[in-house]
Amino acid sequence: MNIRQQLDQKITQALQQAGAPASSTAIVKASTRPEFGEYQANGIMAAARQLKINPHELAARVLAQLELTDMADKVEVAGPGFLNIHLSNDWLAAQLTPPAPTPPAPARQQTIVIDYSAPNLAKEMHVGHLRSTIIGDAMARVLEYLGQRVIRQNHVGDWGTQFGMLLAYMADLKAQGLEVSMQLSDLESFYRQAKQHFDTDPAFADRARAQVVKLQGGDTECLQLWREFIEISLAHCQTLYDRLGVTLTRTDVMPESAYNDDLPAVVSDLQRQGLLAENQGAQCAFMDEFRAKDGSITPFIVQKSDGGYLYATTDLAAVRYRARQLAADRVLYVVDMRQSLHFRQLFTLARKAGFADERLSLEHMAFGTMLGEDGRPFKTRAGGAVKLAELLDEAEERALALVNAKSPELPASERHEIARRIGIGAVKYADLSKNRNSDYVFSWDSMLSFEGNTAPYLQYAYARIRSIFRRAQDDGGSRPAAGAAILLQEPAERTLAVKLLQFDEVIDSVAIDGLPNQLCLYLYELAGSFMRFYEACPILKAGVDSAARTSRLQLAAITADTLKTGLGLLGIEVMERM
Ligand code: ARG
């Protein structure tokens, strides 16, 4: 249990002993100002209102019941009836250890499916998939760290009419005796060429449509071509995942086509339950929940008039699979906000159909669009989609220029490695540090800055602490043994200690809300608290007595561990020096 939860539990108990209704809770929050202590309980006023008594009187009764002597050295009633809790130095000092999660009790362990990345394989992965990939991966790491059972599902788009065009083009190249895999090494231009043939050559377009029919009919040769294509495309994706340090592997790929055989059953099941109506030949769910003011309903189409299935049908089959086969407690869909209506309709229909019962939490973790510095969707100068591989090349090149300027004395190979970590880290962190619900502006200068809430700033803060230990070693000292006494004498020491102890709270809340930017902000503030501590409380200077020095080294060590763990949960690497 994190500190907030511990206090909440104790104060809620006291509140109830003081006669408050059973539904009342303490509502403990971190305080906004140090003079209010570290935490405050806000729930007393509401309970007093229900009891029709003066909140101050109830607060006094709660105080009389409250046993917090071990944790706090002052609890006071403030304002109209808040409780302010000032944690005790000794208790804080005793709690300080490097971050380590307590695994959930077996009964509280959840199976959490995370649907992320999911590019369409017809084209090369582009920046549009970056946000899902990065945010989804951070969520997977955070939930795994907390001991949850995470199942990654890369719901790649590997089926649909656009493959007809690609397969027809592949077949043409093969007929000319050309080596297709070479051509496919640039998927983007392969797609463009196929599309151009499709748009300008009616005979080719006919062959493309015939390929679609053959593919759906299970034609062996056609399937063979398709597999070859998918294989190359997936290998492209995997190269990018590895380069980005994203934990997805080939075993996490659960493509749209995997659900093909289940689609007729999904539709007939919905039909049997009376959930579908025919509209211009298509099978649709008209759900009241989606009725507009003018009375019309936006239908959820599950089968086209030609009998074909759609994105929605596959997603229905996937919900059912995740609920039944994977036995999920939660499914997180890390997908572009523009698909919000799709997911609301999907979740509503899946519940009505009994594909997902009320215990299964279905959550669309939506994100906004990545914008260029001109405020428009991020594109190349020519207006095309920016290839991820090229974006990462540029990130590393720019980072290398910075490292070369800052640390020319380091060996070249180390400078390259540092630049790689900074460049990749900066791209990921820039995305993670913004609230995913808004659009975000991609800016090289701000993400690579060594100041502000950026990856380089935090990586630098970490390296700086590590350098203190190198110097301590030169002095004959070293990292103090874990458990060495921590003394919180200066205000800056205390502030740093409290911040360190709030790591668990932040992680818990990221796990619930799916907002990794909360963790970024925390790490940024932690680095700031450390810098202020380091200015106010010298460590290696002459005249610092050995008890203070050991204690401060210990605080520095735990800060470094917390930064490293936190950045690790965001998928960002640190380095010993830079
Ligand atoms: N392939 C889709 C796209 O690129 C995203 C799939 C998201 N996951 C899902 N279960 N619908 O837009």
Side-chain angles (χ1 to χ4, degrees):
M1 247 196 290
N2 61 49
I3 302 179
R4 199 197 57 74
Q5 288 166 331
Q6 290 176 41
L7 286 168
D8 205 288
Q9 196 179 55
K10 291 193 176 180
I11 302 174
T12 299
Q13 202 185 2
L15 190 59
Q16 249 132 56
Q17 284 163 349
S23 60
S24 311
T25 56
I27 318 187
V28 171
K29 299 254 155 69
S31 297
T32 44
R33 298 237 293 271
E35 56 276 28
F36 299 154
E38 286 73 38
Y39 289 89
Q40 62 187 50
N42 299 342
I44 294 177
M45 278 91 73
R49 225 173 296 128
Q50 279 187 280
L51 291 174
K52 300 199 170 54
I53 62 170
N54 181 321
H56 270 266
E57 189 188 317
L58 181 60
R61 278 201 244 156
V62 173
L63 267 187
Q65 298 292 340
L66 193 59
E67 232 317 291
L68 277 185
T69 37
D70 51 336
M71 286 177 88
D73 44 29
K74 196 163 68 175
V75 183
E76 53 190 5
V77 183
F82 300 107
L83 281 190
N84 288 347
I85 296 114
H86 301 256
L87 297 170
S88 100
N89 268 350
D90 289 346
W91 185 81
L92 281 174
Q95 304 299 305
L96 281 169
T97 45
T102 19
R108 298 197 53 192
Q109 195 195 38
Q110 292 191 313
T111 297
I112 303 173
V113 168
I114 311 184
D115 178 324
Y116 70 105
S117 194
N120 291 328
L121 298 183
K123 292 187 178 187
E124 190 158 323
M125 220 171 135
H126 58 84
V127 298
H129 297 108
L130 196 59
R131 298 206 79 183
S132 174
T133 306
I134 292 174
I135 298 169
D137 204 53
M139 287 308 297
R141 289 169 186 263
V142 165
L143 290 163
E144 248 161 18
Y145 173 81
L146 290 174
Q148 304 298 1
R149 208 173 141 247
V150 170
I151 303 179
R152 294 165 175 76
Q153 293 278 280
N154 193 355
H155 190 85
V156 298
D158 66 339
W159 202 253
T161 46
Q162 77 258 53
F163 285 93
M165 171 181 104
L166 298 166
L167 299 186
Y169 190 53
M170 264 173 96
D172 283 6
L173 293 175
K174 286 207 165 176
Q176 291 166 35
L178 291 168
E179 178 56 73
V180 189
S181 65
M182 277 306 292
Q183 309 276 332
L184 279 177
S185 64
D186 188 347
L187 268 181
E188 204 55 37
S189 69
F190 190 89
Y191 185 91
R192 261 202 313 276
Q193 284 160 29
K195 177 95 170 75
Q196 204 199 341
H197 280 83
F198 187 83
D199 291 340
T200 56
D201 177 355
F204 178 87
D206 284 341
R207 284 203 298 284
R209 279 186 282 268
Q211 286 284 357
V212 176
V213 177
K214 280 208 273 179
L215 183 65
Q216 286 168 346
D219 175 88
T220 333
E221 237 172 277
C222 184
L223 275 174
Q224 183 53 42
L225 267 187
W226 172 76
R227 274 196 207 101
E228 200 181 320
F229 182 91
I230 296 300
E231 186 53 41
I232 294 172
S233 187
L234 277 177
H236 275 301
C237 295
Q238 194 56 50
T239 313
L240 280 166
Y241 295 149
D242 294 344
R243 193 167 167 199
L244 272 169
V246 160
T247 57
L248 284 169
T249 66
R250 286 294 287 269
T251 52
D252 303 315
V253 173
M254 183 65 184
E256 290 189 9
S257 66
Y259 300 99
N260 283 351
D261 292 347
D262 202 23
L263 303 182
V266 165
V267 173
S268 61
D269 193 350
L270 295 171
Q271 262 158 348
R272 202 162 22 80
Q273 301 191 60
L275 290 165
L276 299 182
E278 199 182 302
N279 185 31
Q280 295 174 358
Q283 290 296 315
C284 308
F286 286 89
M287 298 176 278
D288 256 332
E289 289 83 345
F290 301 94
R291 190 183 292 282
K293 286 205 183 72
D294 67 358
S296 67
I297 293 182
T298 314
F300 194 52
I301 309 172
V302 302
Q303 190 172 24
K304 292 189 285 187
S305 56
D306 66 2
Y309 300 106
L310 311 92
Y311 186 55
T313 331
T314 304
D315 256 330
L316 283 162
V319 170
R320 192 158 75 162
Y321 169 78
R322 293 165 184 182
R324 299 193 185 159
Q325 263 76 26
L326 301 181
D329 298 295
R330 279 176 90 184
V331 185
L332 315 183
Y333 291 85
V334 188
V335 187
D336 196 310
M337 193 141 47
R338 285 169 290 193
Q339 295 191 28
S340 289
L341 176 63
H342 165 79
F343 284 108
R344 279 189 288 126
Q345 290 182 311
L346 171 70
F347 298 165
T348 308
L349 185 57
R351 296 226 190 269
K352 285 185 198 287
F355 293 173
D357 66 22
E358 63 288 351
R359 276 168 313 181
L360 172 60
S361 172
L362 298 169
E363 304 166 40
H364 178 200
M365 302 209 147
F367 54 82
T369 307
M370 185 161 146
L371 304 175
E373 281 183 277
D374 56 0
R376 311 173 54 132
F378 191 78
K379 293 266 163 69
T380 58
R381 282 215 190 93
V386 176
K387 284 192 195 178
L388 267 183
E390 286 169 9
L391 186 92
L392 299 182
D393 288 343
E394 182 163 356
E396 290 180 16
E397 276 161 30
R398 285 175 181 261
L400 184 60
L402 292 176
V403 178
N404 285 343
K406 228 177 150 70
S407 314
E409 73 285 359
L410 295 178
S413 63
E414 190 175 344
R415 269 182 278 132
H416 274 95
E417 178 56 18
I418 293 171
R420 189 186 68 74
R421 292 182 188 203
I422 292 181
I424 303 288
V427 169
K428 293 174 90 171
Y429 193 87
D431 195 333
L432 291 164
S433 58
K434 313 291 185 315
N435 184 315
R436 61 174 164 76
N437 289 302
S438 24
D439 292 347
Y440 103 95
V441 176
F442 186 94
S443 155
W444 287 118
D445 290 338
S446 55
M447 75 176 72
L448 284 166
S449 168
F450 281 84
E451 264 148 63
N453 188 7
T454 66
Y457 171 75
L458 292 174
Q459 288 168 321
Y460 183 65
Y462 176 82
R464 198 161 153 199
I465 301 176
R466 299 300 304 157
S467 78
I468 300 173
F469 286 99
R470 279 194 298 275
R471 270 183 291 137
Q473 213 113 38
D474 295 342
D475 284 7
S478 64
R479 178 178 173 142
I486 293 180
L487 315 163
L488 303 177
Q489 283 153 337
E490 298 295 324
E493 290 174 318
R494 189 182 156 87
T495 309
L496 177 61
V498 171
K499 198 81 205 165
L500 285 168
L501 287 173
Q502 286 170 339
F503 181 71
D504 290 344
E505 277 168 42
V506 174
I507 298 298
D508 286 345
S509 109
V510 172
I512 295 167
D513 304 332
L515 293 173
N517 60 301
Q518 296 172 339
L519 175 56
C520 297
L521 182 63
Y522 168 84
L523 294 172
Y524 175 57
E525 289 175 354
L526 173 63
S529 298
F530 180 81
M531 297 304 178
R532 282 185 291 279
F533 152 81
Y534 192 49
E535 268 159 40
C537 307
I539 301 179
L540 302 178
K541 258 203 198 128
V544 178
D545 70 60
S546 95
R549 179 186 153 120
T550 308
S551 163
R552 288 172 187 175
L553 276 174
Q554 180 82 330
L555 279 171
I558 298 173
T559 304
D561 286 338
T562 306
L563 284 173
K564 186 177 182 175
T565 305
L567 286 170
L569 292 178
L570 298 169
I572 293 172
E573 295 172 279
V574 291
M575 40 265 169
E576 293 303 301
R577 55 179 186 177
M578 60 192 270

